[in-house]
Every structure is written in structure tokens, then in C-alpha cells.
Amino acid sequence: ELEKLSAIMTKNPSLYLEVTGHTDSKGSTEYNLALSKKRSRSVIEYIAAKGIDNERFVAKGVGEEDKIAINQNPDGTDNPEGRKYNRRVDIKILRSNNDNIVIYDVYVPEHLRLKKSLTYSILLVETNENLEAEYFNKYEDDAISNVWISPTSNGYVYSVGEYTKKSDAIPLLNKVVDIGFPNAKIINNLELKKLHDSGTPTAKAAKQKEKEILKTGTFTIQLMALKNPVELSYFSNVSNVKKHLGKDGYTRYTYGEYIGYYKAKEAIQEIVNKGYTDAFVVNVERYK
């Protein structure tokens, strides 16, 4: 992935990135914060060694705070499979003249995903065209202030307020209906984000591309990655295993090829049952 990123930065000198390191929950808060900063700097140093100017990066480390998967099971026991998704580096575009450069979120299996806390707002109105900034000023005396606008695939939505409990949003909902917003409703932050993302051209293109890849791309099941390679005979209970030597010095072993992500996902349980508990689905293009 870093090789691809360095190649993209070489071709796009206008691309500036924020690199944020993360850790799992093992270790103290202080240790993890320091580790996450080292993690982001190591990525920058690797790419800078390819000739990319250090000034095109901002390094951050947030420790274990911004996790995307569970570190523990509901009963409090350790979940190593979830923790591995939290040991990561995120890339954010700070500046770019190329709108075709898209960064995807890390895919986390459904059973390991962190359940994000919901907040609730009042969706005031949906419009085809952007309203004037002064449109809501006449309602400020009626407690409608700090109105947020979000572009959508159909135009724009305007929302107000933020509550941690849905019931707390009901008094404001009643008020805005009374003063002239009959179609107002309570909406949570995930629904609002989904509406916003649907209206961002880059997000729409990225989503469409991702759907196409998941549907028509070629996927395989990675069994394991080893620094010290083994003979293919090691995989005695799985046939037709392939090996791929990576530039990072690891040899990766894969099983099968499937058209579409979900076909590979259906086959993975059989592989896990054979003892390859760390197996996961990978796009074949990664090995190229």
C-alpha cells in the first residue's frame, strides 16, 4: 500500500497528506500515544525515502482513542482479531488538484465493528436549491439557530440541534413544526452523514467504484503471511495454495479465486474451520 501511495504522490506533486497513527488497547495510554506517533512517522519516513518531500506530510498520533473495531468481547475477554484492525495508519487528503484520488475506509467485518454512538438532530427541510444564508434568521427568536446544511443527491437538507437521547429532541421538533416546518423530523447522525455523502461527487464516484469492485472484482482468501516461508506441502488440508513474495519481505499464501467479494466471503468459513483462523478476503490486485 505504501508503494502505491508513494507512486501516486510522485505523479501528483499537489497531493499533501495527514498521516495518523493508531494502536489497539494493549499497553498504557502514554505508551500507546507514543507508539501511534512512531507508527505515523515510520510511514512518512518510508515514503520520504522514495524521494517525496517531508513537507508534504503532517504526522499525528492518537493512541488507542479512535478505534474502528472492538478490542474486547462483550464479556470483557480479549479480541485479538478486532485489535488488529485498530493497529493502523489512516491517510487523509489535506490538499490535492486531482479529484480522482480517493481514499477508502478500512474494511472491518460486521461482527468486529465498533457500534458508534448515535446523536439526534432535527431535519428542518429538504430543498432542490441552496437557500439564502438569511433564510433562517427570522426564526432565531424561536430557538432555531446554528442551522447546518448538507448537500445530498437530490439537493440540500438543513438540520438543527444535537442530542444524545432521541427523546430530548422531541420538544424542539414540536416547536419547529409549530413555527412553519411541517415536514420536520428527527434524524440521527449516521442517517445525516449518509445523506451528505450521497451528495458529494467524489464520495458518489468512490461508492460506485467500490460497489463495482465488490461485485465484479477477483478476490482470494489469504491464509497467512510469513517472514520465514514454508513449503506448499505445509497446507496439507487445502489444495491449490498459491504463494506471493511481497516487497516487504513477507510471503503470503492464498487459496482460491472468486468473482465478487461476497462469493469469497461465502467460502471463507470452510477455510476457518480447517484451522486458518486468521484467514481473510483480499482483492487479487493487491498481490500485483
Side-chain angles (χ1 to χ4, degrees):
E1 295 300 319
L2 296 186
E3 289 289 341
K4 288 197 293 185
L5 184 56
S6 61
I8 290 172
M9 295 192 75
T10 299
K11 293 179 181 178
N12 297 271
S14 66
L15 182 59
Y16 284 67
L17 301 176
E18 179 181 276
V19 182
T20 304
H22 303 264
T23 71
D24 62 20
S25 60
K26 292 291 186 181
S28 67
T29 301
E30 295 78 11
Y31 175 83
N32 284 335
L33 183 60
L35 176 60
S36 66
K37 292 177 179 177
K38 289 180 181 179
R39 186 161 281 160
S40 63
R41 285 197 296 268
S42 68
V43 166
I44 294 172
E45 288 168 2
Y46 183 91
I47 299 177
K50 305 287 182 182
I52 306 298
D53 195 332
N54 266 305
E55 293 184 357
R56 294 171 62 186
F57 300 94
V58 171
K60 289 176 61 179
V62 296
E64 62 190 77
E65 291 301 315
D66 191 14
K67 56 183 179 287
I68 58 174
I70 57 174
N71 287 305
Q72 293 181 327
N73 297 309
D75 62 2
T77 58
D78 185 37
N79 191 308
E81 189 181 2
R83 285 194 292 107
K84 75 179 181 181
Y85 288 98
N86 293 324
R87 299 191 298 273
R88 71 193 194 280
V89 167
D90 286 342
I91 305 295
K92 177 183 178 182
I93 295 176
L94 294 177
R95 192 171 80 202
S96 174
N97 291 337
N98 188 345
D99 291 336
N100 292 322
I101 297 176
V102 178
I103 293 176
Y104 293 95
D105 291 333
V106 176
Y107 173 78
V108 179
E110 183 71 33
H111 68 288
L112 298 173
R113 289 180 192 172
L114 192 68
K115 305 303 180 185
K116 295 184 178 179
S117 58
L118 293 179
T119 59
Y120 299 90
S121 301
I122 307 300
L123 194 157
L124 296 172
V125 64
E126 301 182 55
T127 63
N128 294 326
E129 297 181 357
N130 194 357
L131 298 174
E132 296 292 333
E134 297 79 18
Y135 180 87
F136 295 97
N137 289 352
K138 58 186 176 182
Y139 298 106
E140 286 187 354
D141 292 339
D142 296 299
I144 297 184
S145 59
N146 297 322
V147 176
W148 292 89
I149 176 174
S150 297
T152 73
S153 57
N154 297 318
Y156 302 87
V157 295
Y158 297 82
S159 60
V160 64
E162 186 176 48
Y163 303 89
T164 55
K165 294 181 179 179
K166 191 173 184 178
S167 58
D168 291 342
I170 293 175
L172 180 57
L173 174 63
N174 292 332
K175 184 175 292 186
V176 299
V177 169
D178 289 342
I179 63 174
F181 296 92
N183 296 319
K185 61 182 180 181
I186 297 175
I187 188 171
N188 67 50
N189 56 319
L190 299 183
E191 295 169 327
L192 191 59
K193 184 179 185 301
K194 187 175 181 180
L195 283 173
H196 171 73
D197 287 348
S198 72
T200 304
T202 301
K204 288 168 67 178
K207 206 59 156 179
Q208 185 59 37
K209 183 178 180 181
E210 182 180 7
K211 285 182 179 179
E212 286 299 317
I213 291 174
L214 290 175
K215 186 177 179 180
T216 63
T218 303
F219 292 83
T220 186
I221 298 173
Q222 180 169 305
L223 303 175
M224 60 178 62
L226 300 175
K227 195 73 173 178
N228 298 313
V230 296
E231 296 296 328
L232 292 180
S233 58
Y234 175 86
F235 304 93
S236 57
N237 58 345
V238 180
S239 59
N240 299 321
V241 174
K242 294 182 179 180
K243 65 178 180 179
H244 313 264
L245 180 59
K247 292 181 179 180
D248 57 0
Y250 280 85
T251 300
R252 292 169 172 82
Y253 299 87
T254 63
Y255 166 78
E257 289 192 0
Y258 307 85
I259 301 301
Y261 171 83
Y262 298 103
K263 288 288 185 182
K265 196 65 177 174
E266 289 174 4
I268 198 170
Q269 189 57 52
E270 181 182 350
I271 299 301
V272 171
N273 292 341
K274 290 184 177 182
Y276 303 99
T277 55
D278 291 330
F280 59 95
V281 176
V282 185
N283 191 323
V284 169
E285 290 296 318
R286 285 192 61 177
Y287 300 108
K288 299 179 182 179

